[in-house]
Each structure stands twice: as C-alpha cells, then as structure tokens.
Amino acid sequence: MSTAEETRGGDTEPWSEVTPDAARKLLVAAVEAFAERGYHATTTRDIAGRAGMSPAALYIHYKTKEELLHRISRIGHDRALDILRTAARGEGSATERLADAVGSFVRWHAGRRTTALVVQYELDALGPEARAEIVALRRQCDAEVRGIIEDGIAAGEFEVLDVKGTTLAVLSLCIDVARWFNTAGPRTPDEVGALYADLVLRMVGAKDRGAGQR
Amino acid sequence: MSTAEETRGGDTEPWSEVTPDAARKLLVAAVEAFAERGYHATTTRDIAGRAGMSPAALYIHYKTKEELLHRISRIGHDRALDILRTAARGEGSATERLADAVGSFVRWHAGRRTTALVVQYELDALGPEARAEIVALRRQCDAEVRGIIEDGIAAGEFEVLDVKGTTLAVLSLCIDVARWFNTAGPRTPDEVGALYADLVLRMVGAKDRGAGQR
DNA sequence: GGGTGCGCTAAGCGGTCGCTCAGTTTCGGC
DNA sequence: GCCGAAACTGAGCGACCGCTTAGCGCACCC
C-alpha cells in the first residue's frame, strides 16, 4: 500500500481521521508552519498559502487559528498515549515492556519530528480549557510509564529509589528528542530509539539489559 | 557539591553585568515576559510596562526586540558554559566531575527556570548570525560533557558504547528540566540536581555511584 | 544661571495581524 | 436546464504590532 509503513511498525499515514481533504491539507500545512516558526510566529496567511488556498478558506473548516493547534495537539497526544499504552500492556517482562515503550515513543518523536515538536512544545499557546484537556492526556502518559517501572520494581527487575522523579526524567528524555533530532543528521529514528531504550534501562537499574545497544 | 555556591542559596543576583540600571530592569522584564508567553507572543509594550517605562524607552538601550533576546541568550549561555567548565576542569575522578557537572547544571535550570527557559527554548527566534554565535557556545557545552565521559571511559570508570549519543542524551535530559520544573512544586532544585546526577551516572554505567540518591 | 546633553515620554506611522463578508464558482438532485 | 447548498475567493476591517520622532524635564558645566 502506498500510504502505509512510513515510520515502521505500521504507522498508517497520519491525519487520516481529518476530513474533508481541504481540512486535512490545511492541518498538515499548519503542522509544518508551527514546527518551523512556532505557533505565534505563524500567520494564517502562511498556513493557507502552504495549502494552496486563500486565507479565508481556513475559517470554513476551523473557527480560529487556535482550534487548528488544538486539533493537532489532541490527535498527537492520542497517538503518543496509544504508543505508550500498547507497549505498557503488551506481553513480556517489565524490562522488555519498558524498552519497547521507550523505543517506539522515541521512534515516533524522531520519525515524525515536525508533528512531535508542535505537540510537545506549543502547549502553552492553547487556552485554559484546551490546555487542561491536553494536560490530562499527559498525565495518562506519565501513569503508563510509571506503571511499567513499578512493575519492574515489584518483580525485582529494577532498582529505583525515586519512582515519580525517574518517571518524569524518562519521559522528559524521550520528549526532548523532538527538539534536537535532525532528519538530515547521521542517526535514524531506529538507532536513537535503540540507544534510548538502553539508556533508560540503565536509569532504572535493570538487572538484565539483554544485548544492550544494538 | 563543591562548585555550587553560585547556583545554590545565594545566587549572586545575575544580570549585574548589564548597565545602566534602566537597561537591566528592561532586560529582567523581558526575561520574565519571554518565559511566560514566548518571544513572539511578547510585545515591546509588555516588556516596557513590566519595567515601569514607556515603550519608547526600550529603544534607547536596545536597537530591536531581538537584540534583547540576543543579550539574554548570550549571557545565559556564557553562564551555562561556565558552570559546565568549572565542573569539568575541577579535581576528582570523572565520576565525581560528571556528577558535579550534572548536579550544578540541573540546579541552574531549576533554580533559575525563567532564564533557562528563554535561553534554551527561544533560540530559533534569533536571526542567522546571532543564532550561529549561540550554537557555537552550545557546541562547547557539548564538548565539556563529552570530555568528562571520555575521561571516565579511559579510566575504566564508565561503560559507554555510543559516546556522542550518550552525551547528547545527558545534555538533553538536563536542559529539559527548564521545561517541566515547577518552582511551586514539591521538589527543590537541589533534590532534582541530586536525582539527575545519579541517573546520569547510571546512564554512563559508572562503576561507583557512591551513596546514590539521598 | 543660561546653555547643553541625555534619559525618557506622548503621540503616532506604516505595516501586518486574525478574522469577516459579499459575491463567485462548483455541483448533486430533480 | 435550473436551483439551492456548500466551498472558496478578493477585498478589506479594526486592532495591534515594532519602531520612530518631537519635545520635555533635569542634572551638570562654565
């Protein structure tokens, strides 16, 4: 299929839930513009121009510029939470699940960097209600990771003194990949994912890190 | 824990190198505004208002709004590099120097969060020449941390397969503290610094982490 | 004590912003 | 072939942006 297998692991072409086509084109244009210049520095004329439309067309599909960001952020966080949940609730030991969660989470941040940049770093541009909704999703992401770490401690696989602090650090480490990763750089998303999975297993004091960095 | 007197309790009030008083007041106001709303969402009227002056007063001391950000970013990066350099070139084993570097670097990002936020996350708002100057400072920060890690590997204290990748991850982890740290939250900068120093020693496979998290 | 320079303000300029609206084009149903 | 709804455009509104300018007050000098 032409639209599949973009980021490996079968991540179907994103934004497919956004219809009609014109609304999706505008949203994709907005993601690119927000990632390049930031939300506040992006003009509605720029977004419409990238989508090949007039500025007024934007307001047929979205009430405001902020609603565009909200939709992007909501869909992105849903995807991020889905990635973590799938890994957290999979089979295998806590060690395997944590490595899987970090690996796929990092692969998403690197492979879909423009989206991740907007999703993770433009949160403050949202209004209070929209931000509260997104913050709730973030807390769920945190809970999934903390759950794996607690499982590992209970099973004697990990050695962690400050569970909340370590969870925060692990998520922070993964998220910040979107800030520095360079698509034209020397590393592939797969390589960064594997490196980070190993680093995180070290952080939690995993007794068996397997092959380590592959 | 030896080089910390500056970022600890009595951080000598920063920006002391900025004169005259009015210029410093404007710069401090700009730091607060940029940290709260971001560079692009901050107006010159807002900055001047926080400093208790008229908008025109800003242009007596600074050529443009961007020059304000440039000065903030330059001073902040100088300070960050100074913190890392002091720790890297101190006495003690690589393990001790890395823990010291991470601890004081994180304490600065947490304790002076508003400054660090602007310094670390508003880089893209700078023009090409100013950004290039700052990027050069960042590379020096990277080199200092990489140097400690390489020392530790050579001394047999650390076990790292991907030195460049691990260095990047360590710095990324520390920098991102500025994004999530909450001054009103439950953790003090000292506590986060100690936690992160231990996490980083784990990441590099340090054989002797000493007392670990306390 | 009248000039002089400097820090600062009040007012405002040109431009661009988010967003609106009247009007044109497109198209399925009949 | 005609109609009404929906998609979209060109033109532009009011607000606010970064920044400038003319002039005011005040310490300082001979």
Side-chain angles (χ1 to χ4, degrees):
Chain A
M1 197 46 184
S2 54
T3 57
E5 296 278 290
E6 271 240 309
T7 55
R8 151 212 173 103
D11 191 6
T12 55
E13 186 58 27
W15 315 126
S16 54
E17 62 258 71
V18 181
T19 54
D21 282 5
R24 180 169 52 248
K25 264 177 67 170
L26 283 164
L27 190 133
V28 169
V31 170
E32 288 171 10
F34 291 162
E36 253 177 51
R37 310 203 220 281
Y39 174 80
H40 288 293
T42 298
T43 70
T44 54
R45 285 163 177 84
D46 181 25
I47 297 169
R50 286 172 191 249
M53 305 174 107
S54 78
L58 200 151
Y59 293 92
I60 293 163
H61 301 283
Y62 303 95
K63 229 175 64 184
T64 62
K65 176 180 152 188
E66 190 196 319
E67 191 193 313
L68 253 172
L69 177 61
H70 183 194
R71 292 276 281 270
I72 292 166
S73 196
R74 173 74 212 217
I75 295 172
H77 274 89
D78 281 345
R79 179 84 190 106
L81 179 55
D82 181 57
I83 287 170
L84 289 177
R85 238 201 287 259
T86 301
R89 307 194 175 169
E91 298 168 8
S93 64
T95 301
E96 287 165 339
R97 284 182 289 134
L98 184 59
D100 189 25
V102 169
S104 50
F105 198 54
V106 166
R107 270 198 304 275
W108 183 75
H109 278 81
R112 306 213 59 84
R113 193 206 167 208
T114 54
T115 301
L117 253 182
V118 178
V119 164
Q120 301 290 6
Y121 290 98
E122 299 289 349
L123 182 62
D124 290 338
L126 290 172
E129 342 82 48
R131 180 163 56 240
E133 177 195 321
I134 301 297
V135 165
L137 288 173
R138 292 213 181 196
R139 265 198 276 271
Q140 290 184 57
C141 289
D142 187 272
E144 293 295 337
V145 174
R146 194 170 61 246
I148 309 177
I149 292 176
E150 282 166 349
D151 287 351
I153 296 169
E157 296 176 35
F158 301 160
E159 193 182 319
V160 175
L161 292 178
D162 181 348
V163 175
K164 285 171 89 170
T166 303
T167 302
L168 204 54
V170 168
L171 273 171
S172 165
L173 186 67
C174 296
I175 286 170
D176 204 49
V177 168
R179 184 178 56 86
W180 61 259
F181 186 78
N182 179 3
T183 309
R187 296 161 199 278
T188 66
D190 278 358
E191 287 164 357
V192 180
L195 169 62
Y196 270 53
D198 185 60
L199 287 174
V200 167
L201 290 187
R202 289 172 177 232
M203 287 167 75
V204 298
K207 262 91 178 175
D208 177 21
R209 302 205 320 274
Q213 299 169 24
R214 305 180 262 282
Chain B
M1 323 191 177
S2 45
T3 65
E5 58 269 13
E6 287 256 350
T7 48
R8 223 76 96 130
D11 192 2
T12 58
E13 191 54 32
W15 315 125
S16 53
E17 62 258 70
V18 182
T19 53
D21 283 4
R24 180 170 52 249
K25 265 178 66 171
L26 284 163
L27 190 133
V28 169
V31 170
E32 287 171 12
F34 292 162
E36 252 177 52
R37 311 205 221 282
Y39 174 79
H40 288 294
T42 298
T43 70
T44 53
R45 285 164 176 83
D46 181 24
I47 297 169
R50 286 172 192 249
M53 304 174 110
S54 79
L58 199 152
Y59 294 91
I60 293 164
H61 302 283
Y62 303 95
K63 230 174 66 185
T64 62
K65 176 180 152 188
E66 191 196 319
E67 192 193 312
L68 253 173
L69 177 61
H70 184 194
R71 291 276 280 270
I72 293 166
S73 197
R74 174 73 212 219
I75 294 172
H77 275 89
D78 281 344
R79 179 84 191 106
L81 179 55
D82 181 57
I83 288 170
L84 289 177
R85 237 200 288 258
T86 301
R89 307 193 175 169
E91 297 167 9
S93 66
T95 302
E96 289 165 337
R97 283 182 289 134
L98 185 58
D100 191 24
V102 169
S104 49
F105 198 54
V106 166
R107 272 198 302 276
W108 183 75
H109 279 81
R112 306 213 58 84
R113 192 204 168 209
T114 53
T115 301
L117 253 182
V118 177
V119 164
Q120 301 291 5
Y121 291 97
E122 299 290 348
L123 183 62
D124 290 338
L126 290 173
E129 341 81 49
R131 180 161 56 239
E133 177 195 321
I134 302 297
V135 166
L137 288 173
R138 292 214 181 196
R139 266 198 276 271
Q140 290 184 55
C141 290
D142 187 274
E144 293 295 337
V145 173
R146 194 170 61 245
I148 309 177
I149 292 177
E150 282 166 349
D151 286 351
I153 296 169
E157 297 176 35
F158 301 160
E159 193 182 321
V160 176
L161 292 177
D162 181 348
V163 175
K164 284 170 89 169
T166 303
T167 302
L168 205 53
V170 167
L171 272 171
S172 165
L173 186 67
C174 296
I175 286 170
D176 205 49
V177 168
R179 186 177 54 85
W180 61 259
F181 186 79
N182 180 1
T183 309
R187 296 163 198 279
T188 66
D190 277 358
E191 287 165 358
V192 179
L195 168 63
Y196 269 53
D198 184 61
L199 288 173
V200 166
L201 290 188
R202 289 171 177 232
M203 287 167 75
V204 298
K207 262 89 179 179
D208 176 22
R209 303 204 320 275
Q213 299 170 26
R214 267 294 136 86

